[in-house]
Amino acid sequence: MPLSATSNRNPDHRNPGRPDSDKENCQPGQAKPNFVFRCIGCNLLSSTAPQDFRCSQCNNLLEITDPCWNSSSLNATALKSLWRERRCSNAVLDLSGVWRFRELLPTPESEQQIVTLREGNTPLYELPLSSRITGVSRLYAKHQGMNPTGSFKDAGMTVAATFARQARSRWVACASTGNTSASMAAYAARGGMRSLVLVPEGKISWSKLSQALDYGALTCQLRTDFDGCLRLLQELVRRAPVYQLNSINPFRLEGQKTLAIELLEQFDWQPPDHIIVPGGNLGNSSAIGKALLEMLEIGLIPRLPKLSVIQAEGANALVRTLREAEGKRLVNVQAETRATAIRIGNPASWEKAVKVIQATGGVCEQVSEVEIAQAKAEIGAEGIGCEPASAVTLAGLKKLLQQRFVKRDETVVLVLTGNLLKDPDFTMEFHRGDLFPNTPHEREANSLDPLRHPPIILDATLDAVIQTLEQAESSQAEKSDPTGRDV
Ligand code: F0G
């Protein structure tokens, strides 16, 4: 069964920011859908999508577009004040940092279908220590790890799970490096659907896996990598009645757009110069880029920030695609990195990502395992922390500064995609000094010693604790912490 895109326009949702003339063209009574699918390859428009969310004509990915939407049909000033007003509302949809921006999202047939966990509403933090390290005085982190299941996936999942429920799906499914599965399982549970998770055996963190189990997913650990899981899922959705919730599903990217919308609202609609985001399967960068382009078109922002994507050296398909093939064909790789969330060698949304990087004037860069570990410890020392995949942003920023692509007097936002608690093994191994021994990175990793804070095992006596405290105090004077502050 094709998945229907037909949906009535709800006037309360869609029209406040639109001039009256446009309302006539897009009224709910006319039973027009408020979105259609468009193929990113051949531009074919369709009101329904096949189960695998690929173009029936050329097999490329689909994106969502609004046939009633053009730049003059939404009033930027009205939208800004409407969205601000909703921050004082206790209505369920207004409490979601995704559905608060529903004018720029596909609208389901009924609000009752919406599956929400109050996602979004994530903080924008200043990063004083990282500012000192990098010399970038206006440096911020948009922390998507503060979402209900601890990662940016929730923003997209609320929208895609809503449309899965509207399509009366009994089963939803995804392949995942961990965060998608945690998020999908949670939203499926809230929406009364069953979830099937395909994850690479031994290659995802226990904390992500445990989330999926607790939220009731049927969890299959496959003896392959993420790319193998995704390949299998794509075949599965053609054979079995399961609704696929990977970021190939364009509803996911619509929800993830709100990260950028909320970010710009937090900047009072004055765009930063750079937004830096980790790249794995490349759905998130594609979604942020789509949002930026739409906001420019509507007039919500006067200019585009440059969107740059950072990958791990061992999972650098997009870097190589841009360097070796000028973004024209995918150069896939056999992925290997301890930042397991982005251990992806064959990214599905590479074409979408190439388009938005080029449209915004951004770049793609890669960072080493040691650079990732260092940046993660530095973000931890800020008192906020993140998972390894998110830390590529700070490591990448340092490279982009060296290349003078980013200037120290510019405003920079790092998108932190996952919570520190998502990968405790990495953190423990780092602080205990167990992350790099017997690896090719061992020597380079010695420079990280001042950032390590291993636990100390002591006899349970007051003397032992006081002595340890005094030692820490006296070594403080000698030790110069690379973060530039007292330890
Ligand atoms: N950061 C984290 C914490 C992630 O979990 C992911 C992707 C990314 C960055 C990369 O985002 O794929 O949109 O480019 N995680 C997926 C998953 C693949 O299955 O959880 P992307």
Side-chain angles (χ1 to χ4, degrees), residues 179-253:
N179 281 325
T180 300
S181 49
S183 180
M184 180 190 77
Y187 281 83
R190 298 294 292 184
M193 295 173 282
R194 301 223 43 205
S195 59
L196 169 69
V197 160
L198 306 182
V199 290
E201 206 250 319
K203 310 277 171 41
I204 81 167
S205 85
W206 288 120
S207 83
K208 296 174 189 178
L209 189 64
S210 65
Q211 285 182 286
L213 304 183
D214 232 31
Y215 300 137
L218 174 60
T219 305
C220 303
Q221 295 182 269
L222 304 185
R223 292 190 196 90
T224 178
D225 54 12
F226 168 82
D227 300 298
C229 292
L230 188 57
R231 236 182 346 262
L232 205 139
L233 179 76
Q234 291 264 286
E235 284 167 30
L236 179 76
V237 296
R238 290 185 206 117
R239 296 266 296 276
V242 296
Y243 185 98
Q244 94 127 307
L245 279 181
N246 271 98
S247 56
I248 289 173
N249 180 324
F251 291 113
R252 284 269 314 277
L253 302 202

Coordinates of all heavy atoms in Angstrom, one line a residue, residues 179-253:
N179 N 21.0 5.9 18.1 CA 20.1 7.0 18.5 C 18.8 7.0 17.8 O 17.7 7.2 18.4 CB 20.8 8.4 18.3 CG 21.8 8.7 19.4 OD1 21.5 8.4 20.6 ND2 22.9 9.4 19.1
T180 N 18.8 6.7 16.5 CA 17.5 6.6 15.8 C 16.6 5.5 16.4 O 15.4 5.7 16.6 CB 17.7 6.3 14.3 OG1 18.5 7.3 13.7 CG2 16.4 6.2 13.6
S181 N 17.3 4.4 16.8 CA 16.5 3.3 17.3 C 15.9 3.7 18.7 O 14.7 3.3 19.0 CB 17.3 2.0 17.4 OG 18.5 2.2 18.0
A182 N 16.7 4.3 19.5 CA 16.2 4.8 20.8 C 15.0 5.7 20.6 O 13.9 5.5 21.3 CB 17.3 5.5 21.6
S183 N 15.1 6.6 19.7 CA 14.1 7.6 19.5 C 12.8 7.0 18.9 O 11.7 7.2 19.4 CB 14.6 8.7 18.6 OG 13.6 9.7 18.4
M184 N 13.1 6.2 17.9 CA 11.9 5.5 17.2 C 11.1 4.7 18.2 O 9.9 4.7 18.2 CB 12.4 4.7 16.0 CG 11.2 4.0 15.3 SD 11.8 2.8 14.1 CE 12.2 1.4 15.2
A185 N 11.9 3.9 19.0 CA 11.2 3.0 19.9 C 10.3 3.8 20.9 O 9.2 3.4 21.2 CB 12.2 2.2 20.7
A186 N 10.8 4.9 21.3 CA 10.1 5.8 22.3 C 8.8 6.3 21.6 O 7.7 6.2 22.2 CB 10.9 6.9 22.8
Y187 N 9.0 6.9 20.4 CA 7.8 7.5 19.8 C 6.8 6.4 19.3 O 5.6 6.7 19.4 CB 8.2 8.4 18.6 CG 8.7 9.7 19.2 CD1 10.0 9.9 19.6 CD2 7.9 10.8 19.3 CE1 10.5 11.1 20.2 CE2 8.3 12.0 19.8 CZ 9.6 12.1 20.3 OH 10.0 13.3 20.8
A188 N 7.3 5.3 18.9 CA 6.4 4.2 18.6 C 5.5 3.8 19.8 O 4.3 3.6 19.7 CB 7.1 3.0 18.1
A189 N 6.2 3.6 20.9 CA 5.5 3.3 22.2 C 4.5 4.3 22.5 O 3.3 4.0 22.8 CB 6.5 3.1 23.3
R190 N 4.8 5.6 22.4 CA 3.8 6.7 22.7 C 2.7 6.7 21.7 O 1.6 7.0 22.1 CB 4.5 8.0 22.7 CG 5.6 8.2 23.7 CD 5.1 8.2 25.1 NE 4.3 9.3 25.4 CZ 3.8 9.6 26.6 NH1 4.1 8.7 27.6 NH2 3.1 10.6 26.9
G191 N 3.0 6.2 20.5 CA 1.9 6.3 19.4 C 1.2 5.0 19.3 O 0.4 4.9 18.3
G192 N 1.4 4.0 20.1 CA 0.7 2.8 20.1 C 1.1 1.9 18.9 O 0.3 1.1 18.4
M193 N 2.4 2.0 18.5 CA 2.8 1.2 17.3 C 4.0 0.3 17.9 O 4.6 0.6 18.9 CB 3.4 2.1 16.2 CG 2.3 2.9 15.6 SD 3.0 4.1 14.4 CE 3.7 5.4 15.5
R194 N 4.2 -0.8 17.1 CA 5.3 -1.7 17.5 C 6.5 -1.3 16.7 O 6.4 -0.8 15.6 CB 4.9 -3.2 17.2 CG 3.7 -3.6 17.9 CD 3.8 -5.0 18.5 NE 5.1 -5.3 19.1 CZ 5.6 -6.5 19.3 NH1 4.9 -7.5 18.8 NH2 6.8 -6.7 19.9
S195 N 7.7 -1.5 17.3 CA 8.9 -1.1 16.5 C 9.9 -2.2 16.4 O 10.1 -3.0 17.2 CB 9.5 0.1 17.3 OG 9.9 -0.3 18.6
L196 N 10.5 -2.2 15.2 CA 11.5 -3.2 14.8 C 12.8 -2.4 14.6 O 12.9 -1.5 13.8 CB 11.2 -3.9 13.5 CG 12.2 -4.8 12.9 CD1 12.5 -6.0 13.8 CD2 11.8 -5.2 11.5
V197 N 13.9 -2.8 15.4 CA 15.2 -2.1 15.3 C 16.2 -3.1 14.7 O 16.3 -4.2 15.2 CB 15.5 -1.7 16.8 CG1 17.0 -1.5 16.9 CG2 14.7 -0.5 17.2
L198 N 17.0 -2.6 13.7 CA 18.1 -3.3 13.2 C 19.4 -2.6 13.5 O 19.6 -1.5 13.0 CB 17.9 -3.5 11.7 CG 16.6 -4.1 11.1 CD1 16.7 -4.2 9.6 CD2 16.3 -5.5 11.8
V199 N 20.2 -3.2 14.3 CA 21.5 -2.5 14.7 C 22.6 -3.4 14.5 O 22.5 -4.6 14.5 CB 21.5 -2.0 16.2 CG1 20.5 -0.9 16.4 CG2 21.2 -3.2 17.1
P200 N 23.8 -2.8 14.2 CA 25.0 -3.6 14.0 C 25.5 -4.2 15.3 O 25.7 -3.5 16.2 CB 26.0 -2.6 13.4 CG 25.6 -1.3 13.8 CD 24.1 -1.4 14.0
E201 N 25.6 -5.5 15.3 CA 26.0 -6.2 16.5 C 27.4 -5.8 17.0 O 28.3 -5.7 16.3 CB 26.0 -7.7 16.2 CG 25.8 -8.6 17.5 CD 27.0 -9.3 18.0 OE1 27.7 -9.8 17.1 OE2 27.2 -9.3 19.2
G202 N 27.4 -5.4 18.3 CA 28.7 -5.0 18.9 C 29.2 -3.6 18.5 O 30.2 -3.2 18.9
K203 N 28.4 -2.9 17.8 CA 28.9 -1.6 17.2 C 28.1 -0.4 17.7 O 28.3 0.7 17.2 CB 28.9 -1.6 15.7 CG 29.5 -2.8 15.0 CD 31.0 -2.6 15.0 CE 31.8 -3.9 14.5 NZ 31.2 -4.6 13.4
I204 N 27.2 -0.6 18.7 CA 26.5 0.5 19.2 C 26.6 0.5 20.7 O 26.9 -0.5 21.3 CB 25.0 0.6 18.8 CG1 24.1 -0.3 19.6 CG2 24.8 0.3 17.3 CD1 22.6 -0.1 19.4
S205 N 26.4 1.7 21.3 CA 26.7 1.8 22.8 C 25.5 1.1 23.5 O 24.4 1.1 23.1 CB 26.8 3.2 23.2 OG 25.5 3.8 23.4
W206 N 25.9 0.5 24.7 CA 24.9 -0.2 25.5 C 23.8 0.8 25.9 O 22.6 0.4 26.0 CB 25.5 -0.7 26.8 CG 26.4 -1.9 26.5 CD1 27.7 -2.0 26.8 CD2 26.0 -3.2 25.9 NE1 28.2 -3.3 26.4 CE2 27.2 -4.0 25.8 CE3 24.8 -3.7 25.4 CZ2 27.1 -5.3 25.3 CZ3 24.8 -4.9 24.8 CH2 25.9 -5.7 24.8
S207 N 24.1 2.0 26.2 CA 23.1 2.9 26.7 C 22.0 3.2 25.6 O 20.8 3.2 25.9 CB 23.6 4.2 27.3 OG 23.9 5.1 26.3
K208 N 22.4 3.3 24.4 CA 21.4 3.4 23.3 C 20.6 2.1 23.1 O 19.3 2.2 23.0 CB 22.1 3.8 22.0 CG 22.8 5.1 22.1 CD 23.6 5.4 20.8 CE 24.5 6.6 21.0 NZ 25.3 6.9 19.8
L209 N 21.3 1.0 23.1 CA 20.6 -0.2 23.0 C 19.6 -0.5 24.1 O 18.4 -0.9 23.9 CB 21.6 -1.4 23.0 CG 21.1 -2.8 22.6 CD1 20.6 -2.8 21.1 CD2 22.2 -3.8 22.8
S210 N 20.0 -0.1 25.3 CA 19.1 -0.3 26.5 C 17.9 0.5 26.4 O 16.8 0.1 26.8 CB 19.8 -0.1 27.8 OG 20.2 1.3 27.9
Q211 N 18.0 1.7 25.8 CA 16.8 2.5 25.6 C 15.7 1.8 24.7 O 14.6 1.7 25.0 CB 17.1 3.9 24.9 CG 17.8 4.9 25.8 CD 18.1 6.2 25.1 OE1 19.0 6.2 24.2 NE2 17.3 7.2 25.3
A212 N 16.2 1.3 23.6 CA 15.3 0.6 22.7 C 14.6 -0.6 23.4 O 13.4 -0.8 23.2 CB 16.1 0.1 21.4
L213 N 15.4 -1.3 24.2 CA 14.8 -2.5 24.9 C 13.7 -2.0 25.9 O 12.6 -2.5 25.9 CB 15.9 -3.2 25.7 CG 17.1 -3.7 24.9 CD1 18.0 -4.5 25.8 CD2 16.7 -4.6 23.7
D214 N 14.0 -0.9 26.6 CA 13.1 -0.5 27.6 C 11.8 0.1 27.0 O 10.7 0.0 27.5 CB 13.7 0.6 28.5 CG 13.6 0.3 30.0 OD1 13.6 -0.9 30.3 OD2 13.5 1.3 30.7
Y215 N 11.9 0.7 25.8 CA 10.8 1.3 25.1 C 10.0 0.2 24.4 O 9.0 0.4 23.7 CB 11.2 2.4 24.1 CG 11.9 3.6 24.8 CD1 13.0 4.1 24.2 CD2 11.4 4.1 26.0 CE1 13.6 5.2 24.7 CE2 12.1 5.2 26.5 CZ 13.2 5.8 25.9 OH 13.8 6.9 26.4
G216 N 10.5 -1.1 24.5 CA 9.7 -2.2 24.0 C 9.9 -2.6 22.5 O 9.1 -3.3 21.9
A217 N 11.1 -2.2 21.9 CA 11.3 -2.5 20.5 C 11.7 -4.0 20.4 O 12.3 -4.6 21.3 CB 12.5 -1.7 20.0
L218 N 11.3 -4.5 19.2 CA 11.9 -5.8 18.8 C 13.2 -5.5 18.3 O 13.3 -4.9 17.2 CB 10.9 -6.5 17.8 CG 11.4 -7.8 17.1 CD1 11.6 -8.9 18.2 CD2 10.4 -8.2 16.1
T219 N 14.3 -5.9 19.0 CA 15.6 -5.4 18.7 C 16.5 -6.5 18.1 O 16.7 -7.6 18.7 CB 16.3 -4.9 19.9 OG1 15.4 -3.9 20.5 CG2 17.6 -4.2 19.6
C220 N 16.9 -6.4 16.8 CA 17.7 -7.4 16.2 C 19.2 -6.8 16.0 O 19.4 -5.8 15.4 CB 17.2 -7.7 14.8 SG 15.5 -8.3 14.8
Q221 N 20.1 -7.5 16.6 CA 21.5 -7.2 16.5 C 22.1 -8.0 15.3 O 22.3 -9.2 15.4 CB 22.3 -7.5 17.7 CG 21.9 -6.6 18.9 CD 22.7 -6.9 20.2 OE1 22.3 -7.8 20.9 NE2 23.8 -6.3 20.3
L222 N 22.3 -7.3 14.2 CA 22.7 -8.0 13.0 C 24.2 -8.1 12.8 O 24.9 -7.1 13.2 CB 22.1 -7.4 11.7 CG 20.6 -7.2 11.7 CD1 20.2 -6.6 10.3 CD2 19.9 -8.5 12.0
R223 N 24.7 -9.2 12.3 CA 26.2 -9.4 12.2 C 26.6 -8.7 10.9 O 27.0 -9.3 9.9 CB 26.6 -10.8 12.1 CG 26.3 -11.5 13.5 CD 26.9 -12.9 13.6 NE 26.4 -13.6 14.7 CZ 25.2 -14.3 14.6 NH1 24.6 -14.5 13.5 NH2 24.8 -14.9 15.7
T224 N 26.6 -7.3 11.0 CA 27.0 -6.5 9.9 C 27.3 -5.1 10.4 O 27.2 -4.9 11.6 CB 25.9 -6.5 8.7 OG1 26.4 -5.6 7.7 CG2 24.6 -5.9 9.3
D225 N 27.5 -4.1 9.5 CA 27.7 -2.8 10.0 C 26.4 -2.0 9.8 O 25.4 -2.6 9.3 CB 28.9 -2.1 9.3 CG 28.8 -2.1 7.8 OD1 27.7 -2.5 7.3 OD2 29.8 -1.8 7.2
F226 N 26.4 -0.7 10.0 CA 25.1 0.1 9.9 C 24.7 0.1 8.4 O 23.5 -0.1 8.1 CB 25.4 1.6 10.3 CG 24.3 2.5 9.8 CD1 23.1 2.6 10.6 CD2 24.4 3.2 8.6 CE1 22.1 3.4 10.1 CE2 23.3 4.1 8.2 CZ 22.2 4.2 9.0
D227 N 25.7 0.2 7.5 CA 25.3 0.2 6.1 C 24.6 -1.1 5.7 O 23.6 -1.1 4.9 CB 26.6 0.5 5.2 CG 27.2 1.8 5.6 OD1 26.6 2.8 5.4 OD2 28.3 1.8 6.1
G228 N 25.1 -2.2 6.2 CA 24.4 -3.5 6.0 C 23.0 -3.5 6.5 O 22.1 -4.1 5.9
C229 N 22.8 -3.0 7.7 CA 21.5 -2.9 8.3 C 20.5 -2.1 7.5 O 19.4 -2.5 7.3 CB 21.6 -2.3 9.7 SG 22.4 -3.3 10.9
L230 N 21.0 -1.0 7.0 CA 20.2 -0.1 6.2 C 19.8 -0.7 4.9 O 18.6 -0.7 4.4 CB 20.8 1.3 6.0 CG 20.0 2.4 5.3 CD1 18.7 2.6 6.1 CD2 20.8 3.7 5.2
R231 N 20.8 -1.4 4.3 CA 20.5 -2.1 3.0 C 19.4 -3.2 3.2 O 18.4 -3.2 2.5 CB 21.8 -2.9 2.5 CG 22.2 -2.5 1.1 CD 23.4 -3.2 0.6 NE 24.2 -3.9 1.5 CZ 25.3 -3.5 2.0 NH1 25.8 -2.3 1.7 NH2 26.1 -4.2 2.8
L232 N 19.5 -3.9 4.3 CA 18.5 -4.9 4.6 C 17.1 -4.3 4.9 O 16.1 -4.8 4.4 CB 19.0 -5.7 5.8 CG 18.4 -7.1 5.9 CD1 19.5 -8.1 6.4 CD2 17.3 -7.2 6.8
L233 N 17.1 -3.2 5.6 CA 15.8 -2.5 5.9 C 15.1 -2.1 4.6 O 13.9 -2.3 4.5 CB 16.1 -1.3 6.8 CG 14.8 -0.6 7.1 CD1 14.0 -1.3 8.2 CD2 15.1 0.8 7.6
Q234 N 15.9 -1.6 3.7 CA 15.3 -1.1 2.4 C 14.7 -2.2 1.7 O 13.6 -2.1 1.0 CB 16.4 -0.4 1.5 CG 16.9 0.9 2.1 CD 16.2 2.1 1.5 OE1 16.5 2.4 0.4 NE2 15.4 2.7 2.2
E235 N 15.3 -3.4 1.7 CA 14.6 -4.6 1.1 C 13.4 -5.0 1.9 O 12.4 -5.3 1.3 CB 15.6 -5.8 1.0 CG 16.7 -5.6 -0.1 CD 17.8 -6.5 0.0 OE1 17.6 -7.7 0.5 OE2 18.9 -6.2 -0.4
L236 N 13.6 -5.0 3.2 CA 12.5 -5.4 4.1 C 11.2 -4.6 3.8 O 10.1 -5.2 3.8 CB 12.9 -5.3 5.6 CG 11.8 -5.7 6.6 CD1 11.7 -7.2 6.6 CD2 12.1 -5.2 8.0
V237 N 11.3 -3.3 3.7 CA 10.1 -2.5 3.6 C 9.4 -2.7 2.3 O 8.2 -2.4 2.2 CB 10.4 -1.0 3.8 CG1 10.9 -0.7 5.2 CG2 11.3 -0.4 2.7
R238 N 10.1 -3.3 1.3 CA 9.4 -3.7 0.1 C 8.6 -5.0 0.2 O 7.7 -5.3 -0.6 CB 10.4 -3.7 -1.1 CG 10.9 -2.4 -1.5 CD 11.9 -2.5 -2.7 NE 12.8 -1.3 -2.6 CZ 14.1 -1.5 -2.6 NH1 14.7 -2.7 -2.5 NH2 14.9 -0.4 -2.5
R239 N 9.0 -5.8 1.2 CA 8.4 -7.1 1.3 C 7.4 -7.2 2.5 O 6.5 -8.1 2.4 CB 9.6 -8.1 1.6 CG 10.6 -8.3 0.4 CD 10.2 -9.4 -0.5 NE 10.2 -10.7 0.2 CZ 11.4 -11.4 0.4 NH1 12.5 -10.9 -0.2 NH2 11.3 -12.5 1.0
A240 N 7.6 -6.5 3.5 CA 6.8 -6.6 4.7 C 6.1 -5.3 5.0 O 6.6 -4.2 4.7 CB 7.7 -7.1 5.9
P241 N 4.9 -5.4 5.7 CA 4.2 -4.2 6.0 C 4.8 -3.4 7.2 O 4.1 -3.3 8.2 CB 2.8 -4.7 6.3 CG 3.0 -6.1 6.8 CD 4.2 -6.6 6.2
V242 N 5.9 -2.9 7.0 CA 6.5 -2.1 8.0 C 6.8 -0.6 7.5 O 7.1 -0.5 6.3 CB 7.9 -2.6 8.6 CG1 7.6 -4.0 9.3 CG2 8.9 -2.8 7.5
Y243 N 6.6 0.3 8.3 CA 6.8 1.7 7.9 C 8.2 2.2 8.3 O 8.6 2.1 9.4 CB 5.8 2.6 8.6 CG 5.7 4.0 8.2 CD1 4.8 4.5 7.3 CD2 6.6 4.9 8.8 CE1 4.7 5.8 7.0 CE2 6.6 6.3 8.4 CZ 5.7 6.7 7.5 OH 5.6 8.0 7.2
Q244 N 9.0 2.6 7.3 CA 10.4 2.9 7.6 C 10.6 4.3 8.1 O 10.2 5.3 7.6 CB 11.2 2.5 6.4 CG 11.5 3.6 5.5 CD 13.0 3.7 5.3 OE1 13.8 3.7 6.2 NE2 13.5 3.6 4.0
L245 N 11.3 4.3 9.3 CA 11.5 5.6 10.0 C 13.0 6.0 9.9 O 13.4 6.8 10.8 CB 11.0 5.5 11.4 CG 9.5 5.6 11.5 CD1 9.1 5.5 13.0 CD2 9.0 7.0 11.0
N246 N 13.8 5.5 9.0 CA 15.1 6.1 8.8 C 15.0 7.5 8.2 O 14.0 7.9 7.7 CB 16.0 5.2 8.0 CG 16.7 4.2 8.8 OD1 16.3 3.1 8.9 ND2 17.8 4.6 9.4
S247 N 16.1 8.2 8.2 CA 16.1 9.6 7.7 C 15.9 9.6 6.1 O 15.8 10.7 5.6 CB 17.3 10.4 8.1 OG 18.5 9.8 7.7
I248 N 15.8 8.5 5.5 CA 15.4 8.4 4.1 C 13.9 8.9 4.1 O 13.4 9.4 3.1 CB 15.5 7.0 3.6 CG1 17.0 6.6 3.4 CG2 14.7 6.7 2.3 CD1 17.3 5.2 3.1
N249 N 13.2 8.6 5.1 CA 11.8 9.1 5.3 C 11.8 10.6 5.4 O 12.3 11.2 6.4 CB 11.2 8.5 6.5 CG 9.8 8.9 6.8 OD1 9.4 10.0 6.5 ND2 9.0 8.0 7.3
P250 N 11.3 11.3 4.4 CA 11.4 12.8 4.4 C 10.7 13.5 5.5 O 11.0 14.6 5.8 CB 10.9 13.2 3.0 CG 10.0 12.1 2.6 CD 10.5 10.8 3.2
F251 N 9.7 12.8 6.1 CA 9.0 13.5 7.3 C 10.0 13.7 8.4 O 9.9 14.7 9.2 CB 7.9 12.6 7.8 CG 6.7 12.5 6.8 CD1 6.4 11.3 6.2 CD2 5.9 13.7 6.5 CE1 5.3 11.3 5.3 CE2 4.9 13.6 5.7 CZ 4.6 12.4 5.0
R252 N 11.0 12.8 8.5 CA 12.0 13.0 9.6 C 12.8 14.3 9.4 O 13.0 15.1 10.3 CB 13.0 11.8 9.5 CG 12.6 10.5 10.0 CD 13.0 10.3 11.5 NE 14.3 10.7 11.8 CZ 15.4 9.9 11.6 NH1 15.3 8.7 11.2 NH2 16.6 10.4 11.9
L253 N 13.1 14.6 8.1 CA 13.9 15.8 7.9 C 13.1 17.0 8.1 O 13.6 18.1 8.5 CB 14.5 15.8 6.5 CG 15.4 14.6 6.1 CD1 16.3 14.9 4.9 CD2 16.2 14.1 7.2

